[in-house]
Amino acid sequence: MWFKNARFYTVDLSELNQVFSNPQELENALEKAKFKPCQAQEISTIGFAPLFGGESAYHFSSGSNFFFKMVEETKLLPSSVVKNELDAQCDVKELELKRQLRKNEKDALKTAITGKLLTQAFATRRELLIFINKDEKLLSVAATSAKRAEKAIALFREAFSTFPAKLLSPRCVVEDRMTTWLKENRLPEKFEFGTDTILKSTDEDGGIIRASREDLTSEEISVHLNAGKVVTEIGLAYNDALNFALSSDISVKRLKPTDIYLEKNLNANPEDEIEDLQSQLVLQGELLTELEIYLLEIFDCDR
């Protein structure tokens, strides 16, 4: 149960302090927005689910750290399938009526076809972890997609009526700052270069360079930077604890704790599965808090 990606927000929960201080009241609020499978005519549903499955609670907390799980179910109904069925039925109807169908007739037929196909469609489920550090006013959503992350925020608003989460607001141009790191071969002190980067031309029709398993301080990379390309994503290591790729929207991808960190901090032979999962979450909460605070600092973000 690890965060593989993260989009970061700040959130002031002072108005919800009573709820977050009372585990049962928090569970009751989450229950209001719990996950329910798609009904016959629904194309998608979303909601909170028991964090560790089964009859477990909807949240887990350790100190000021809180963890949640969102589940989204979506029915697979390609538009091409609906179109093919609609075209076939329109042909049949037009032969019967000996005239072309009107727009409102086609729309009604499409609605009926979609409803019928939805009852037969396969459904897929995706899970999303969410972490909140209440005291530091930080929020991490385990998503690369801004749209999916915003769904998680909307779900909290459904549960609590208010949930003032805000994306990080840097007072610098993040791409320029990351580009300077590479150009000057100088990183913030807690970072080390990884081996991946994405460079993008500032020209409207310019190209994109993707480098993987490369020495980011090499002459080849410098040539592209001197030609005017900017860094939009860069592989980094944080404090000998985390490896990840940092994007220009201050989200991180491919988060992976280092073996050294895990060996030092994680029980190698857990006796209880739930306790093991809880230990993993506690470690991640510490790392995500440290990392987000550092990102807020190095990009001069408003708190």
Side-chain angles (χ1 to χ4, degrees):
M1 185 171 277
W2 291 91
F3 280 70
K4 295 180 181 179
N5 309 290
R7 298 189 74 86
F8 297 116
Y9 297 77
T10 57
V11 58
D12 185 352
L13 298 177
S14 55
E15 292 183 21
L16 296 170
N17 188 56
Q18 179 180 335
V19 178
F20 275 77
S21 299
N22 185 322
Q24 188 54 57
E25 194 170 342
L26 180 54
E27 284 291 298
N28 293 341
L30 297 170
E31 175 84 16
K32 292 189 298 184
K34 70 179 181 179
F35 170 75
K36 297 176 183 177
C38 288
Q39 299 301 304
Q41 299 302 312
E42 289 182 312
I43 196 164
S44 67
T45 58
I46 192 170
F48 292 109
L51 185 58
F52 303 115
E55 299 298 319
S56 64
Y58 286 97
H59 83 286
F60 166 67
S61 63
S62 175
S64 62
N65 294 340
F66 292 80
F67 300 88
F68 311 86
K69 182 169 72 176
M70 181 188 88
V71 173
E72 181 178 14
E73 183 172 272
T74 305
K75 288 187 177 178
L76 302 177
L77 186 56
S79 57
S80 59
V81 173
V82 176
K83 182 180 184 303
N84 290 340
E85 184 67 18
L86 178 61
D87 290 344
Q89 291 201 28
C90 282
D91 290 343
V92 172
K93 288 288 186 183
E94 288 175 349
L95 283 173
E96 289 177 358
L97 299 172
K98 297 181 180 180
R99 65 172 175 80
Q100 288 189 333
L101 292 178
R102 303 181 184 92
K103 183 180 183 302
N104 64 323
E105 292 173 323
K106 286 185 177 181
D107 290 343
L109 192 56
K110 182 178 181 180
T111 299
I113 289 169
T114 301
K116 179 183 177 182
L117 291 175
L118 277 174
T119 64
Q120 305 166 0
F122 289 103
T124 61
R125 289 186 184 179
R126 294 190 294 180
E127 298 180 351
L128 195 67
L129 288 172
I130 304 150
F131 163 67
I132 294 174
N133 184 311
K134 184 168 66 73
D135 291 348
E136 294 290 348
K137 303 179 181 179
L138 304 176
L139 168 68
S140 306
V141 182
T144 54
S145 161
K147 184 176 180 180
R148 288 199 73 207
E150 286 301 325
K151 285 182 179 180
I153 303 302
L155 194 60
F156 277 106
R157 293 191 179 118
E158 180 183 340
F160 302 123
S161 299
T162 179
F163 195 76
K166 298 178 182 179
L167 278 169
L168 304 194
S169 179
R171 291 191 291 268
C172 68
V173 179
V174 176
E175 288 182 356
D176 290 349
R177 189 153 293 185
M178 294 196 302
T179 302
T180 299
W181 295 347
L182 267 189
K183 273 188 171 182
E184 298 182 358
N185 189 15
R186 186 175 63 193
L187 282 170
E189 61 178 351
K190 294 183 181 180
F191 283 160
E192 292 180 5
F193 285 120
T195 58
D196 299 345
T197 190
I198 297 177
L199 310 177
K200 185 178 180 180
S201 174
T202 54
D203 298 334
E204 189 172 324
D205 300 321
I208 296 176
I209 301 295
R210 300 177 187 273
S212 181
R213 299 181 183 178
E214 295 282 350
D215 177 1
L216 301 188
T217 62
S218 68
E219 181 64 27
E220 183 179 358
I221 298 294
S222 295
V223 168
H224 291 296
L225 294 173
N226 292 332
K229 287 184 171 58
V230 297
V231 177
T232 59
E233 183 176 301
I234 186 170
L236 296 168
Y238 171 75
N239 230 16
D240 293 326
L242 272 177
N243 295 314
F244 58 90
L246 175 65
S247 297
S248 56
D249 59 0
I250 323 183
S251 66
V252 295
K253 305 174 184 177
R254 302 187 292 281
L255 268 169
K256 188 177 181 182
T258 64
D259 292 339
I260 294 174
Y261 181 82
L262 292 179
E263 288 173 7
K264 186 185 299 184
N265 295 280
L266 202 59
N267 184 357
N269 299 299
E271 295 181 1
D272 181 89
E273 182 180 0
I274 299 299
E275 287 184 6
D276 181 40
L277 294 174
Q278 291 174 344
S279 297
Q280 292 176 23
L281 290 177
V282 169
L283 285 181
Q284 290 174 88
E286 293 173 357
L287 286 174
L288 288 169
T289 297
E290 285 183 27
L291 179 60
E292 185 172 357
I293 288 174
Y294 197 51
L295 292 172
L296 286 164
E297 175 188 333
I298 62 177
F299 291 121
D300 305 320
C301 295
D302 295 324
R303 288 294 298 265

